[in-house]
């Protein structure tokens, strides 16, 4: 049995609360990156710039630059959707989606993605 990494910390929740949906609208590459999630074994990356707790779903609704290997697009994803992804690597199951523990606090989209990433 594998143990999944905790995708959300209290510190990240505080960042989410300071950056609700639409709070960074128009900032584009200057928007602050709150957290970055990725598939360690293949395609899948989520660079989150805004988030809001959805009382109805009892989950965090996150917004940011998302890619499944074909370039980045802006979009929404629930935290639970990432937590529930079962990633297979050959015959083995992995720990699933991971959080970028090396992301610097205050990093901007331009620090994490390049213009080429968006094409």
């Amino acid at each position: 049995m594998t143990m999944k990494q905790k995708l959300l910390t209290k510190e990240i929740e505080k960042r989410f609360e300071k950056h609700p949906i639409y709070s960074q609208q128009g900032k584009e590459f200057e928007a602050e990156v709150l957290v970055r999630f990725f598939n360690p074994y293949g395609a899948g990356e989520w660079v989150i710039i805004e988030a809001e707790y959805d009382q109805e779903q009892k989950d965090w609704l996150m917004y940011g630059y998302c890619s499944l290997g074909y370039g980045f697009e802006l979009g929404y994803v629930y935290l639970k959707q990432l937590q529930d992804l079962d990633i297979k690597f050959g015959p083995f199951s992995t720990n699933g989606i991971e959080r970028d523990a090396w992301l610097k606090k205050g990093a901007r989209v331009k620090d994490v993605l390049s213009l080429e990433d968006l094409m």
Side-chain angles (χ1 to χ4, degrees), residues 11 15 18 32-33 102-107:
E11 181 181 334
R15 288 186 215 158
K18 291 180 182 177
E32 182 179 344
V33 176
W102 299 102
L103 180 71
K104 292 181 182 175
K105 187 176 180 182

Side-chain angles (χ1 to χ4, degrees), residues 52-59 78:
E52 215 165 83
Y53 192 76
D54 184 330
Q55 293 290 343
E56 189 174 308
Q57 296 293 323
K58 297 184 178 7
D59 195 9
Y78 277 102

Side-chain angles (χ1 to χ4, degrees), residues 39-90:
N39 174 355
Y41 297 102
E45 185 175 356
W46 298 265
V47 178
I48 304 302
I49 61 172
E50 299 170 347
E52 215 165 83
Y53 192 76
D54 184 330
Q55 293 290 343
E56 189 174 308
Q57 296 293 323
K58 297 184 178 7
D59 195 9
W60 285 98
L61 176 62
M62 303 178 296
Y63 178 76
Y65 294 87
C66 308
S67 175
L68 295 177
Y70 303 102
F72 282 85
E73 294 181 10
L74 285 166
Y76 294 90
V77 64
Y78 277 102
L79 180 64
K80 186 159 178 42
Q81 290 175 300
L82 297 182
Q83 290 171 326
D84 289 348
L85 284 176
D86 184 26
I87 298 171
K88 303 287 186 197
F89 183 66

